[in-house]
Amino acid sequence: APDPLITEVQDWASGLGEGVDATPYGLPIKYESDVVRRNVEWLTADTISSINFTPIHALDGTITPQGCAFERHHSGAIELRKEDYRLMINGLVDTPLVFTYEDLERFPRENRVYFCECAANSGMEWAGAQLNGAQFTHGMIHNMEYSGISLRTLLEEAGVSPEGKWVYVEGADASSNGRSIPLEKAMDDVLVAFKANGEALRKEHGYPVRLVVPGWEGNMWIKWLRRVEVMDQPVESREETSKYTDTLANGISRKWTWEMDAKSVVTSPSPQAPITHGAGPLVITGLAWSGRGAITGVDVTLDGGKTWTEARLAAPGTDKALTRFYLDINWDGSEMLLQSRAKDSTGYVQPTKAQLREVRGLNSIYHNNAIQTWWVKANGEAENVEVS
Amino acid sequence: MAVVSPVAAEKFGLGRPALPEEIAAWDLDVAPDGTGLPTGSGDVFTGEEVFAEKCAVCHGDFAEGVGNWPKLAGGQGTLDHEDPLKTVGSYWPYLSTTWDYVNRSMPFGDAQSLTPDEVYAIVAYILYSNDLVDDEFVLSDETFKQVELPNADGFILDDRLDAEKHFWNPEPCMENCKDSVEITMRALVLDVTPEEEGAEAAAEAAPVQEAVAEEAVEEPVETAAVLDPELVAKGEKTFKKCKACHQVGENAKSKTGPILNGIVGAPAGHAEGFRYSKAMKAAAEDGLVWDEAELAAFLAKPKKYMKGTKMSFAGLKKDSDIEAVIAYLQSYSR
């Protein structure tokens, strides 16, 4: 029968839509209102010190819109005006300095795209498949284009003393969330950023100024950055001793596990993004990233790892940024055990859960970069599972 | 006319020198060797009192933790077990970390309000709770170095490049990699994924929200008319001090403290299912009603107003803050 959406004149084809000023700053259309950050309430005592998840199952491309990019706060997202913003560089420097926001805008600027992944991303999956959805298993990640200045520039402005080996960076919020970073990294690719995806940082991402520490765990990307102290030793703060350390099976814990290893996930189909169209052409897609370099390839398997096929990268992988991959197949409508496997420019290959557990046990909490399996059933629904 | 010339790799001359007082105000971090500790001291007994008043509401009277809030004591010898209990006593390698964190970031919602002596006392009590010092112990910048935490040697530097070098394998298997594949675990068995309320109604969610918003606009009109919006806005800011424990508004729930919707004018102990202190229950039975005067008196000095209340908040010093918070709470009349 003819489609009435075509044969009948629809309201939107005869009436009028909204004028240009209806929404001076736009939100997604209401039909996309389910594409939002989500929280797992049982994870933490209170949403003020908690984390939520990017809806990666519903996004495409590589840039994460700020409005749905995951948030992690330790004492809540504060409101700090540019006019009230101060950044101090002190410690082992020739001249301790204070900068205003306006001062920062006068230094030469850079634009760089990087992913930011919480060290605890996939952390709930160490002991077994738990959460049903790519958003929940892999959504503590976002990828933005940052505009800002090199931290090196600011450190050189203050003049780093030869005894300086570390920088201690802290935020203006009540948690301060201080972290120690080796001077070598601080002088390499760390950015003091004030714009993301072209616009001011959002409150929840550290407005007006945050640190960008490419490839390293998100906890080090200090929000509301207020102070950088050059030191000859690390502070060993709460966030680098009691948290963000990885306990192995023998009870010994790794510390200073800063780099995020290569990782990938199929974002669709997945539990929150089932196949609804039946057999035939199917786009399998996902994201891959590495904190050690660029993604060079992604393999996808439909049979739980017996046979792998190289996926198509939407664009060549770039340093410490998300890469989008696609595998276009003709689905025969039978069950699939869908996995993806990332490879990076250092020759690292994303391990299986069994391989990771063999080295680290089950108690690490952080840095779970294992291969994820979705069991896609004949009806198109998908479930988070583990396979032999 | 401005001359455009490439900026030399030299200094830009931006910013200004930081003053010693400014550095002193912000440079508070304490290193494992004690560098950065201020002069001061505190004993276990004082620590127990301060802890009960300022910390116990989340961390428990004995540092054992309340609900999902962090446990600060216990867990020694569990690090190689399933689900190890990581506390100051069982896991934290350096005492400086505890001192530094308590000093700068605690109490939750009222950070940087403790004196150095109070911090020394609290940390002494945490050590005592972990059986690491006896009840005579006095922690000070002098005695600090005597304390070594049990897990000081429990850490190694990141050894992934070595221990996991087999993950660097540029030619992974592509074909006939396994004989068989079995499903060994399913998320649905555990099913801890957050429920989506009316998941299939996702597309309808927006209109529903709009309807709720319209309703909400109609209702508070009468109360809104008497409330000064500026005062309510001020109260919202002041309420940040309360947020660590209390929620108010749409979707609010009882957390560490009871839900506060409709608290102004309500009988004491009105939040269903909340475990009030004995003192609060007794006051409720005596017919206490939270009118503006009673609330104001309570908020000024909670522990003085009601001996035995679980509310560990020290109180709002300014009358104008109290008035504002009450106005803010009134804006959530139900």
Side-chain angles (χ1 to χ4, degrees):
Chain A
D3 184 348
L5 282 167
I6 297 171
T7 55
E8 290 171 15
V9 175
Q10 301 295 320
D11 287 350
W12 58 79
S14 66
L16 302 174
E18 276 183 347
V20 287
D21 291 336
T23 321
Y25 195 103
L27 285 169
I29 193 164
K30 60 189 176 185
Y31 309 122
E32 296 292 320
S33 61
D34 59 323
V35 184
V36 289
R37 297 183 278 230
R38 287 181 177 81
N39 171 26
V40 175
E41 234 178 82
W42 52 263
L43 272 183
T44 53
D46 195 296
T47 53
I48 291 172
S49 173
S50 190
I51 192 156
N52 59 20
F53 302 82
T54 307
I56 54 171
H57 64 287
L59 302 177
D60 211 325
T62 55
I63 296 294
T64 315
Q66 291 202 71
C68 67
F70 85 96
E71 308 164 65
R72 169 58 164 132
H73 319 306
H74 293 76
S75 287
I78 58 168
E79 291 180 353
L80 175 56
R81 300 190 316 158
K82 284 177 186 168
E83 294 82 347
D84 298 335
Y85 178 79
R86 301 289 184 274
L87 174 62
M88 183 188 289
I89 313 272
N90 74 312
L92 300 169
V93 292
D94 299 338
T95 316
L97 292 174
V98 172
F99 300 108
T100 61
Y101 184 85
E102 267 193 326
D103 293 334
L104 296 184
E105 285 191 310
R106 298 173 64 191
F107 285 99
R109 235 169 275 169
E110 295 180 11
N111 284 245
R112 299 270 187 272
V113 176
Y114 293 118
F115 76 82
C116 173
E117 183 185 18
C118 177
N121 199 18
S122 316
M124 290 85 76
E125 305 286 306
W126 272 109
Q130 275 213 57
L131 289 159
N132 230 354
Q135 179 171 20
F136 300 113
T137 56
H138 289 76
M140 295 180 190
I141 191 163
H142 56 61
N143 191 65
M144 301 190 196
E145 183 199 42
Y146 294 98
S147 307
I149 55 187
S150 158
L151 177 57
R152 181 191 189 107
T153 307
L154 295 182
L155 289 170
E156 285 176 346
E157 187 74 8
V160 176
S161 309
E163 315 88 77
K165 298 284 181 288
W166 293 81
V167 296
Y168 181 68
V169 285
E170 69 179 23
D173 63 317
S175 82
S176 92
N177 192 66
R179 290 289 306 249
S180 310
I181 299 176
L183 187 66
E184 199 185 359
K185 176 73 172 176
M187 297 296 267
D188 181 15
D189 55 3
V190 176
L191 291 179
V192 173
F194 32 81
K195 296 274 165 73
N197 301 343
E199 62 179 352
L201 292 166
R202 295 287 167 90
K203 169 173 73 175
E204 60 269 35
H205 301 130
Y207 178 92
V209 176
R210 86 170 306 167
L211 204 63
V212 169
V213 190
W216 289 20
E217 58 191 17
N219 182 259
M220 307 177 88
W221 296 43
I222 307 303
K223 300 192 286 189
W224 314 290
L225 178 72
R226 82 166 190 186
R227 196 169 70 92
V228 180
E229 180 180 359
V230 179
M231 303 184 72
D232 57 2
Q233 60 176 337
V235 167
E236 304 282 5
S237 71
R238 175 183 187 258
E239 308 299 332
E240 55 203 16
T241 54
S242 80
K243 309 286 174 190
Y244 303 97
T245 44
D246 312 337
T247 304
L248 303 171
N250 62 3
I252 297 289
S253 304
R254 287 176 178 162
K255 70 172 185 177
W256 303 356
T257 44
W258 301 309
E259 286 99 347
M260 300 306 295
D261 287 318
K263 187 165 169 180
S264 68
V265 65
V266 172
T267 51
S268 176
S270 66
Q272 297 158 290
I275 305 169
T276 53
H277 53 59
L282 169 69
V283 174
I284 296 171
T285 186
L287 293 166
W289 61 95
S290 169
R292 299 185 190 273
I295 289 296
T296 51
V298 179
D299 303 321
V300 172
T301 176
L302 312 182
D303 57 16
K306 288 186 207 167
T307 311
W308 294 84
T309 309
E310 183 132 27
R312 171 170 61 89
L313 302 187
T318 60
D319 192 41
K320 298 159 189 148
L322 290 192
T323 300
R324 170 66 58 179
F325 66 86
Y326 295 103
L327 185 68
D328 309 294
I329 67 164
N330 197 5
W331 185 42
D332 63 7
S334 64
E335 280 189 10
M336 294 185 282
L337 290 168
L338 207 51
Q339 301 178 331
S340 62
R341 179 173 73 186
K343 298 178 281 196
D344 78 12
S345 50
T346 69
Y348 185 96
V349 179
Q350 185 182 4
T352 63
K353 282 189 169 184
Q355 285 174 317
L356 261 197
R357 286 173 184 155
E358 199 181 344
V359 186
R360 305 193 199 166
L362 300 177
N363 285 337
S364 277
I365 301 175
Y366 305 102
H367 297 284
N368 181 352
N369 67 315
I371 288 173
Q372 171 67 40
T373 312
W374 304 128
W375 177 22
V376 181
K377 295 156 205 182
N379 65 4
E381 286 175 5
E383 184 184 337
N384 177 9
V385 298
E386 291 190 1
V387 295
S388 56
Chain B
M1 201 170 135
V3 177
V4 179
S5 62
V7 181
E10 282 150 31
K11 303 201 176 189
F12 295 86
L14 295 169
R16 61 160 177 88
L19 302 177
E21 307 91 295
E22 293 172 332
I23 296 173
W26 275 8
D27 187 350
L28 301 173
D29 55 80
V30 180
D33 64 7
T35 308
L37 276 176
T39 312
S41 69
D43 59 48
V44 169
F45 280 117
T46 309
E48 185 175 14
E49 277 172 31
V50 184
F51 195 90
E53 189 187 334
K54 308 207 177 212
C55 322
V57 63
C58 296
H59 297 296
D61 284 337
F62 307 101
E64 79 282 14
V66 172
N68 229 349
W69 294 103
K71 298 168 173 52
L72 307 181
Q76 288 186 41
T78 66
L79 295 180
D80 57 353
H81 296 193
E82 202 177 311
D83 290 330
L85 175 54
K86 296 179 175 179
T87 71
V88 173
S90 69
Y91 192 65
W92 294 36
Y94 305 110
L95 188 60
S96 57
T97 311
T98 313
W99 204 98
D100 187 43
Y101 187 70
V102 172
N103 182 47
R104 282 196 288 160
S105 303
M106 289 287 118
F108 193 58
D110 199 18
Q112 299 203 54
S113 63
L114 301 168
T115 65
D117 285 350
E118 284 177 321
V119 178
Y120 279 110
I122 288 169
V123 176
Y125 180 68
I126 294 172
L127 289 171
Y128 174 74
S129 305
N130 279 288
D131 299 322
L132 296 173
V133 297
D134 60 37
D135 58 6
E136 312 261 283
F137 182 71
V138 180
L139 182 67
S140 69
D141 49 315
E142 304 274 314
T143 61
F144 174 84
K145 279 192 181 169
Q146 295 168 12
V147 184
E148 191 169 322
L149 295 182
N151 199 39
D153 296 327
F155 292 81
I156 54 169
L157 295 191
D158 184 1
D159 64 346
R160 281 178 291 177
L161 292 181
D162 217 25
E164 299 176 2
K165 61 171 178 279
H166 53 297
F167 297 164
W168 277 265
N169 163 34
E171 300 289 328
C173 177
M174 296 297 285
E175 274 178 31
N176 302 316
C177 305
K178 300 176 186 175
D179 292 336
S180 69
V181 172
E182 302 297 330
I183 291 174
T184 52
M185 179 149 190
R186 300 178 52 181
L188 278 191
V189 174
L190 226 62
D191 205 8
V192 286
T193 313
E195 287 280 328
E196 197 79 356
E197 281 170 39
E200 78 283 355
E204 289 163 36
V208 171
Q209 274 169 7
E210 278 164 27
V212 171
E214 275 166 36
E215 250 175 63
V217 172
E218 276 171 32
E219 276 231 41
V221 165
E222 36 180 334
T223 38
V226 285
L227 288 175
D228 171 3
E230 267 181 44
L231 193 62
V232 170
K234 181 177 186 253
E236 185 177 1
K237 279 193 185 157
T238 311
F239 189 74
K240 286 183 178 170
K241 290 180 192 288
C242 321
K243 269 181 157 172
C245 302
H246 290 287
Q247 293 189 347
V248 67
E250 204 187 330
N251 300 326
K253 287 179 198 155
S254 289
K255 304 286 280 189
T256 307
I259 182 174
L260 295 180
N261 292 1
I263 186 69
V264 185
H270 79 305
E272 263 176 56
F274 183 77
R275 290 176 54 201
Y276 287 97
S277 63
K278 278 186 194 152
M280 188 64 79
K281 282 186 196 153
E285 275 171 31
D286 291 346
L288 172 64
V289 171
W290 289 124
D291 60 25
E292 288 175 47
E294 296 290 346
L295 258 186
F298 182 49
L299 290 176
K301 283 200 168 157
K303 294 220 181 262
K304 197 173 165 207
Y305 175 91
M306 184 178 291
K307 204 169 176 336
T309 178
K310 284 206 275 184
M311 188 157 101
S312 68
F313 185 61
L316 289 169
K317 290 194 188 82
K318 290 188 207 155
D319 287 346
S320 60
D321 280 343
I322 294 176
E323 190 193 356
V325 161
I326 293 175
Y328 174 65
L329 290 173
Q330 270 174 319
S331 71
Y332 294 98
S333 52
R334 251 191 323 140

